[in-house]
Amino acid sequence: MKKNYDILVIGSGLGGLVSALILAKEGLKVCVLEKNNQYGGNLQTFSRDKLIFDTGVHYLGGLSEGQNLYRFFSYLEIMDDLELQKMDEDAYDKITFGDDEIEYPHAQGYKNFVKQLSEYFPEEKENLENYCEEIQRVCSHFPRYHVVGKDTYPEEILHLNTKRLIESITSNKKLQSVLLGSNFLYAGDSENTPFYVHALTVNSYIQSAYKCVKGGSQISKLLIGKLRQYGADIYKHAEVTEFIFSENNSLTGVKTQAGTEYSAGKIISNIEIRAAIRLIGEQRLKKSFLNRILSWEPIPSCFSVYIVLKPQAVPNFNYNIYHYSSEEMVWNAYRYERNSWPETYMLSSSQSKHYPEFAESITAISYMDFSEVKEWESTFNTVTNENERGELYNKFKIEKAEKMITALEKKIPGIRNCIKNIHTSSPLSYRDYIGSFNGNMYGYVKTSENPLKTMVSPRTKIDNLFLTGQSVNMHGILGCTIGAFNTCAEILGKEVLDERLTRMINKSKSEEQRN
């Protein structure tokens, strides 16, 4: 049995779904193939104790009217149907260190960002303003970050190092650590992380910060609903096991594990780039390209503890907490000592439906290297089965959860007595459910010394094959969305896509003026 399409998208992560919808809106016959039971990649949620937990999306930025993600989602026709809750405007994130009781705020809006931190660093107001200006300056250079814009950017922007630039703005060690406090969002590394990674990430949340009510999976559900409206086919349990090439080495289709063949004029890979290489076949790729990809260092994975709370036990907090064992830890948080884990964690809460002043659940996430779960790497599990990996694995997870609870006791005294139930996920969970290499959270380490090393064009040397997703683009909701638009610009033509987006923006501005 063979099915024919204009566009075939492999993988239903955000980059794949957005790419599929952009092209379906153009009237192309589109098909999306997903190997797992649930669509959405990092957008996936799961239910425990009748509560919804997010696996990867804990908050979103740039979603207020006129901002970049708002405009992208408006073009995709899902913005009006998203259920969102705006986070605390004076502190969407709070940064804490060791036994220091002060919670340093990151606020929404650049003026407010400076105002809130100036209360703790009154002598640093001008430096804070300079920091904000530098973030916005760097962001202004990136194509597509402002939806429609220039084609290129000065390469020197890529070489700016986060640590060195922050140190040039302020010599206050505490403030340096506070400004870098949310680097959990991109696994910041003092020696490597380019400033553009920090700037593009932080700018989005300073613009505006929201939580997804009922979890991030509503984004994938809305995208899938729109895809079906535009006539696209979407299949799960459809793992691609083979690429089909013609005699002249053009990619013409794929075959799934079930033996179904799908042919298409163009194919977009939204799967992990190493998995894509296996399907292509190393012999079809240049050695230089192959060696470059295989030399990339994966960003670490994480261990998450999902805590179901007793009713009316813990007050809800409408912000995230990023905690570090020391100020110095912020520079290299993922290089932890096993015996002192967790040395850092991100903490978020979900509001109770019945008692809005209280939290119904808390999620705590800390870095974890894949080596900690390597002895179980041959196992694979995407079905809830506590004994799938054996009792030693269950014991490992229980011990880690206990260490996390002990750490949280210092932040929320008495929390142990407020817990109704605990669930966990490890790097193996992220590897199996998301498909990332060794469960890495955000693709691969980017370096200011050699920024082009980890940059890959969405258009490949294989005829008809295009790439999208966090392993080849910026990570995160905004990063993957922008990456998908860039991929589709290669297929449709940049002028076509820019015209569509410009028309939408102008229409939106006209409606705003009329109102």
Side-chain angles (χ1 to χ4, degrees), residues 345 404-417:
Y345 57 78
M404 180 64 81
I405 300 303
T406 299
L408 295 184
E409 278 278 353
K410 298 175 184 177
K411 181 63 62 182
I412 309 174
I415 190 173
R416 190 179 297 276
N417 298 322

Side-chain angles (χ1 to χ4, degrees), residues 115-130:
K115 176 187 174 186
Q116 297 302 326
L117 279 180
S118 293
E119 292 183 14
Y120 298 91
F121 302 95
E123 305 298 320
E124 295 284 333
K125 184 177 180 183
E126 185 177 346
N127 290 335
L128 283 165
E129 290 171 343
N130 291 337

Side-chain angles (χ1 to χ4, degrees), residues 291-293 295-297 445 447 450-456:
N291 291 337
R292 180 161 67 95
I293 301 300
S295 72
W296 291 356
E297 179 189 349
V445 173
T447 169
N450 189 3
L452 299 180
K453 179 183 177 182
T454 52
M455 288 191 170
V456 175

Side-chain angles (χ1 to χ4, degrees), residues 20-33:
L21 183 50
I22 293 168
L23 298 170
K25 280 167 64 72
E26 293 297 320
L28 297 171
K29 190 178 180 183
V30 176
C31 176
V32 180
L33 301 177

Side-chain angles (χ1 to χ4, degrees), residues 10 33 35 238-244 253-262 271 275 278-280:
I10 306 169
L33 301 177
K35 72 172 184 176
E239 181 176 1
V240 172
T241 54
E242 183 183 339
F243 276 2
I244 301 170
V254 305
K255 182 184 286 187
T256 65
Q257 195 170 48
T260 307
E261 289 189 18
Y262 298 81
I271 60 176
R278 286 194 295 273
L279 289 171
I280 294 167

Side-chain angles (χ1 to χ4, degrees), residues 170-305:
T170 175
S171 60
N172 186 307
K173 297 292 186 185
K174 174 79 81 173
L175 180 56
Q176 289 173 6
S177 296
V178 169
L179 294 177
L180 287 166
S182 62
N183 74 10
F184 198 99
L185 292 165
Y186 52 87
D189 173 354
S190 64
E191 299 306 316
N192 293 305
T193 303
F195 185 71
Y196 81 84
V197 173
H198 174 86
L200 294 177
T201 304
V202 170
N203 177 71
S204 182
Y205 293 105
I206 295 178
Q207 284 185 329
S208 62
Y210 292 86
K211 284 186 178 181
C212 270
V213 180
K214 299 178 184 175
S217 63
Q218 64 170 300
I219 298 172
S220 57
K221 289 173 183 173
L222 288 170
L223 289 170
I224 288 165
K226 286 294 173 185
L227 275 166
R228 289 185 170 136
Q229 281 183 32
Y230 282 99
D233 289 337
I234 308 159
Y235 300 104
K236 55 186 176 181
H237 303 298
E239 181 176 1
V240 172
T241 54
E242 183 183 339
F243 276 2
I244 301 170
F245 289 88
S246 66
E247 290 182 2
N248 65 357
N249 210 34
S250 292
L251 179 60
T252 59
V254 305
K255 182 184 286 187
T256 65
Q257 195 170 48
T260 307
E261 289 189 18
Y262 298 81
S263 64
K266 291 179 173 60
I267 294 173
I268 299 174
S269 172
N270 181 221
I271 60 176
E272 221 286 328
I273 191 167
R274 295 185 189 216
I277 286 172
R278 286 194 295 273
L279 289 171
I280 294 167
E282 293 186 7
Q283 73 280 4
R284 298 181 190 274
L285 299 166
K286 287 185 177 179
K287 275 287 183 185
S288 57
F289 175 79
L290 191 62
N291 291 337
R292 180 161 67 95
I293 301 300
L294 297 180
S295 72
W296 291 356
E297 179 189 349
I299 281 172
S301 188
C302 61
F303 188 90
S304 299
V305 180

Side-chain angles (χ1 to χ4, degrees), residues 158-171 176 180 189-195 331 447-450:
L158 305 179
H159 289 276
L160 294 173
N161 178 273
T162 300
K163 184 176 189 288
R164 290 194 288 272
L165 196 140
I166 296 288
E167 287 176 337
S168 74
I169 289 173
T170 175
S171 60
Q176 289 173 6
L180 287 166
D189 173 354
S190 64
E191 299 306 316
N192 293 305
T193 303
F195 185 71
W331 297 103
T447 169
S448 56
E449 289 298 310
N450 189 3

